[in-house]
Amino acid sequence: MSDTENLQPNGPGLSDSVITSLFPEEVVTKALVRDVELPYGAGTMALITLDNGHDHTRPSTFGPAGLISLREALDSVAARTSPQAGERRITAVGVTGKPFIFAVGADLTGAALIGSREEALAIGRLGHSVFRRFGELGVPSFAFVNGAALGGGLELALHCSYRTISSGVPAVAFPECFLGLLPGWGGTYLLPRLIGPADALKVIIENPLSQNRMLRGPQAHALGIADAMFEPADFLAESLRWAARVLDGSVTVRRDDLAEPSVWAQAVAAARLFTDGKLHGAAPAPYRAIDLVAAARDRSRDEGFAAEDEALADLLVSDELRAGLYAFDLTQKRVRHVAGAPDKSLARPVTKVGIVGAGLMAAQIALLFARRLEVPVVLTDLDQARLDAGVGHVKAEIAKLASRGRISADTASRLTGLVSGSLTKDAFADADFVIEAVFEETSVKQRVFAEVEAVVRPDCVLATNTSSLSVTKMAAGLAHPERVAGFHFFNPVAMMPLVEVVRAAATDDATLATALAVGKALKKDCVLVKDSPAFVVNRLLTRFLGEVLACVDEGTPVEVAEHAPDPLGLPVTPFVLLQLVGPAVALHVAETLAAAYPDRFAVSPKLRALVAAGKTGLYQPDLTVDESVVAILAGGDRPSTAEQVRERALEALAEEIRLLLDEGVVAAPEDVDLCMILGAGWPFHLGGITPYLDRSGITEKVTGTPFRL
């Protein structure tokens, strides 16, 4: 076959050998075919199993060689739909995955190796040419989704005539827009035509842009992505029985008519509005995906797939994808091996947890420890009313989880029994890990730690949830300061994945190893940081927000400053961030950093005025602007433009990151990037903050040397 021969209906492509050479280290997912005799006399099904030869920790993906293996399998089964003499005729084709995994889409490790648009276009066309055959075999095709189905894996299933899904499937999703891509092997055409444009756009746009939210099996079934659902224990056997009933006509699967043009247009408009609110036009992929869905109603299958090929070809060679892949690699791989972590074998078991404080943050932490560690959790506070409120909050949240079906009644009963309260810290006598979540004042925390140390065992880890104060100072007066570490959660505790684990001056390796092991058990991503004012995330956010507030102090209208960062596509605007943090907390952190670094951090007079006036932020509960806050923020005679505000804030970040790295607060720029992605929602489409500042030339302008050489 020459390099210019057609490989698929959508136009010319590269040869197999050229395409496979683009992914030299591909872990090939093989398509293994076996015959299955269907019950009820429904005939023979050729069942294809997708398997890359590894267990579920290495999910099956599709690179060029995997697609070619699937194409060859389909060639063999297609020939048997009208067999020659002596061959057994098949009445259907099925496809399923290895245990726990259906397929998780394209091989992203090879995506970064694509060097030209021509190569990218060939990959898109190859995927379409293979997957579309499931809908063009001449016999019905069935996808038996036994495990995770992401991206191209979900698209393969959509090409089939029918789909079943296991109720135990943990993840069904199109995560492409999260990474800077779009579903380019049929997803933007097939899904809206199957389940309607509104629900399809939730899966394609809203879920990936909402912290890459996934559907579980029952949710995918409820949306109509799957036609039937069965329990995991006998999933394949029940799926085969169901397929036989479809073939013999005893089960009929109905498909809804396409939505009316006005309904389709309304869904597309809502998706654009949602995306504008999230990204402000900063990332191309979601908008390209919306355009494809918008056109899918009136396009033919060939036209829809060809349009996906062109969009995919553009995005596969974009800076956005490179940035997204870098960020994805950090969050999937670097978090597994915490830079600077001591030997894991030093970690001590944690069989009971104490929490000092019973406020909202403490209650959130208590719920997380109870759910993930399933060990006794004891809260303390100064009076019975506060204690009862905190313990009551935890138990109410457990009840909510049960009422929503997130946990069973038995689990809820067990978790409720694990949480208790005590007015004395004597309840911590047999605890292995005690964390304080009290008022952000060093002297208060020192007193708390002294009281706790008096009753706990010598090997009990003492942790602080401080967001900005010195852990070293908190531990200074203790008999055993070596067992004190920072353990900084982000709010809301259940949702935010990052924990900054802080090594104080005296913290020993066993304490750190235990803290990191606890973080992992809590299903959090940990970054090890040196004790330094506000650590990483709050230090950088405070510097960023401080520069924006300084511009407002100087006379920049609040609406200009508020929307100056919009072109970056950050998850929230500066004053929404201020409102989420709370002006009083933001003021406290700003004061802490201004005391430590007076040459770079200042306390905004207008922020002080907001706190003095008791204001909670710029926006009222109905999301309208509070004009009394605007009045407080008014004044000044040196206004900046939006571009000047944005440039000033980014240059301040570049300077602060360089200083933070020079101080050894974290091991490398990658850890700064990880902290900002996981703790501040730095967008995937920008990649890490350090490569973004490098790409935009800001790092070199401010510091003279890029972060990443």
Side-chain angles (χ1 to χ4, degrees):
M1 179 182 288
S2 74
D3 285 0
T4 58
E5 284 183 70
N6 287 0
L7 294 181
Q8 61 286 311
N10 289 334
L14 304 177
S15 70
D16 287 358
S17 61
V18 170
I19 294 176
T20 54
S21 71
L22 302 176
F23 291 62
E25 298 182 4
E26 177 183 352
V27 176
V28 179
T29 295
K30 295 182 179 179
L32 309 174
V33 185
R34 63 187 173 98
D35 283 357
V36 176
E37 291 304 312
L38 295 171
Y40 317 122
T44 302
M45 171 182 283
L47 181 62
I48 300 170
T49 300
L50 306 170
D51 193 340
N52 65 1
H54 295 261
D55 66 16
H56 67 280
T57 61
R58 185 68 182 264
S60 301
T61 57
F62 292 109
L67 289 170
I68 291 168
S69 174
L70 182 56
R71 185 180 69 193
E72 291 170 349
L74 288 167
D75 286 341
S76 71
V77 301
R80 296 175 57 203
T81 60
S82 300
Q84 301 295 318
E87 291 182 324
R88 180 181 295 179
R89 181 180 181 274
I90 59 171
T91 57
V93 173
V95 60
T96 192
K98 67 184 183 181
F100 308 110
I101 302 292
F102 182 72
V104 298
D107 181 357
L108 292 178
T109 60
L113 304 177
I114 296 172
S116 70
R117 191 179 187 281
E118 181 188 21
E119 294 170 352
L121 188 59
I123 295 293
R125 287 174 170 169
L126 177 60
H128 270 129
S129 71
V130 175
F131 286 1
R132 69 182 295 159
R133 293 186 65 189
F134 280 97
E136 301 168 352
L137 287 168
V139 296
S141 54
F142 295 82
F144 304 136
V145 182
N146 63 305
L150 307 179
L154 177 55
E155 286 173 300
L156 186 156
L158 291 174
H159 280 273
C160 293
S161 311
Y162 307 100
R163 286 154 296 282
T164 67
I165 195 165
S166 167
S167 62
V169 169
V172 175
F174 280 138
E176 285 88 346
C177 287
F178 182 65
L179 297 172
L181 283 173
L182 50 76
W185 285 342
T188 65
Y189 182 81
L190 296 172
L191 188 62
R193 295 172 71 89
L194 176 68
I195 66 173
D199 285 337
L201 285 163
K202 286 181 182 178
V203 178
I204 295 169
I205 301 296
E206 185 174 330
N207 287 356
L209 296 187
S210 301
Q211 296 186 317
N212 203 20
R213 185 185 302 148
M214 306 277 170
L215 301 172
R216 297 187 300 279
Q219 294 171 308
H221 177 240
L223 280 178
I225 293 173
D227 301 308
M229 183 172 67
F230 303 108
E231 293 302 308
D234 54 357
F235 170 71
L236 184 57
E238 287 299 318
S239 292
L240 291 171
R241 290 189 187 97
W242 182 84
R245 293 189 182 102
V246 171
L247 292 171
D248 70 16
S250 59
V251 169
T252 301
V253 177
R254 302 189 184 281
R255 302 282 183 231
D256 293 335
D257 294 334
L258 290 181
E260 292 297 319
S262 60
V263 174
W264 203 285
Q266 185 178 9
V268 168
R272 291 193 199 282
L273 184 64
F274 173 84
T275 305
D276 284 340
K278 286 281 187 178
L279 299 174
H280 312 289
Y287 294 97
R288 291 292 293 270
I290 293 170
D291 290 343
L292 289 170
V293 171
R297 186 186 186 282
D298 299 317
R299 277 178 170 160
S300 69
R301 190 178 178 92
D302 285 350
E303 290 170 338
F305 291 174
E308 285 183 337
D309 289 335
E310 296 297 328
L312 194 61
D314 289 339
L315 293 170
L316 277 170
V317 293
S318 67
D319 285 342
E320 180 196 14
L321 176 62
R322 299 296 185 270
L325 291 177
Y326 168 78
F328 183 75
D329 188 68
L330 286 180
T331 58
Q332 296 300 306
K333 295 180 181 178
R334 190 170 181 88
V335 292
R336 298 179 192 168
H337 307 287
V338 178
D343 192 318
K344 295 178 182 178
S345 66
L346 296 173
R348 295 188 285 264
V350 173
T351 60
K352 182 177 179 179
V353 172
I355 299 176
V356 185
L360 181 58
M361 192 69 175
Q364 291 183 69
I365 294 171
L367 176 62
L368 182 68
F369 272 98
R371 285 193 70 193
R372 300 302 187 204
L373 270 60
E374 296 191 355
V375 300
V377 177
V378 182
L379 296 89
T380 65
D381 213 313
L382 298 175
D383 60 62
Q384 194 67 50
R386 294 182 190 180
L387 191 60
D388 289 345
V391 173
H393 177 83
V394 178
K395 294 184 176 182
E397 290 300 309
I398 293 171
K400 283 182 187 177
L401 290 170
S403 68
R404 295 169 182 168
R406 298 286 299 278
I407 58 175
S408 68
D410 286 345
T411 299
S413 177
R414 186 174 69 255
L415 294 179
T416 299
L418 290 173
V419 180
S420 62
S422 172
L423 287 176
T424 74
K425 296 181 178 64
D426 292 342
F428 298 157
D430 56 346
D432 305 293
F433 191 97
V434 175
I435 182 169
E436 68 77 22
V438 299
F439 184 69
E440 280 285 277
E441 173 62 50
T442 299
S443 61
V444 174
K445 294 177 185 288
Q446 287 173 329
R447 184 173 68 252
V448 162
F449 274 148
E451 293 171 353
V452 172
E453 188 178 48
V455 299
V456 298
R457 297 194 311 261
D459 60 351
C460 177
V461 170
L462 304 185
T464 171
N465 186 48
T466 184
S467 60
S468 62
L469 300 177
S470 169
V471 181
T472 300
K473 286 184 180 178
M474 289 180 209
L478 299 179
H480 295 285
E482 69 278 1
R483 43 107 165 256
V484 178
F487 204 75
H488 178 216
F489 288 101
F490 290 79
N491 200 12
V493 171
M495 290 180 59
M496 298 300 289
L498 179 66
V499 170
E500 291 175 322
V501 176
V502 185
R503 182 196 286 271
T507 310
D508 64 19
D509 284 352
T511 297
L512 281 181
T514 303
L516 291 168
V518 167
K520 183 177 181 180
L522 294 174
K523 298 186 179 180
K524 295 297 183 183
D525 297 321
C526 296
V527 176
L528 186 58
V529 304
K530 174 184 168 184
D531 191 18
S532 175
F535 317 125
V536 177
V537 175
N538 282 348
R539 177 168 167 180
L540 295 180
L541 288 181
T542 301
R543 184 76 195 274
F544 181 84
L545 187 58
E547 296 298 330
V548 174
L549 288 171
C551 292
V552 173
D553 288 338
E554 293 163 5
T556 303
V558 65
E559 64 272 15
V560 173
E562 172 75 325
H563 295 289
D566 281 1
L568 300 174
L570 299 179
V572 294
T573 56
F575 283 94
V576 170
L577 174 63
L578 180 63
Q579 195 147 348
L580 289 171
V581 171
V585 173
L587 177 62
H588 174 77
V589 176
E591 289 172 338
T592 299
L593 284 162
Y597 308 113
D599 56 325
R600 303 191 309 281
F601 289 86
V603 180
S604 162
K606 291 178 181 177
L607 177 58
R608 285 194 189 280
L610 279 182
V611 175
K615 297 296 182 179
T616 59
L618 178 62
Y619 299 99
Q620 299 183 98
D622 62 358
L623 301 182
T624 58
V625 171
D626 185 337
E627 293 300 332
S628 67
V629 172
V630 174
I632 293 172
L633 297 173
D637 57 5
R638 290 183 291 124
S640 298
T641 65
E643 183 178 358
Q644 288 169 332
V645 174
R646 184 169 62 254
E647 184 176 349
R648 176 170 167 177
L650 290 172
E651 288 178 359
L653 281 178
E655 179 187 32
E656 203 60 39
I657 291 169
R658 173 64 69 200
L659 292 167
L660 186 151
L661 290 169
D662 289 346
E663 295 167 17
V665 177
V666 288
E670 290 85 350
D671 295 310
V672 176
D673 297 331
L674 198 55
C675 284
M676 292 299 283
I677 291 167
L678 298 175
W682 184 261
F684 258 55
H685 69 265
L686 296 180
I689 190 169
T690 63
Y692 170 77
L693 293 171
D694 285 351
R695 282 197 314 274
S696 56
I698 294 171
T699 313
E700 195 160 359
K701 175 184 176 183
V702 174
T703 72
T705 308
F707 293 117
R708 304 175 58 80
L709 298 175

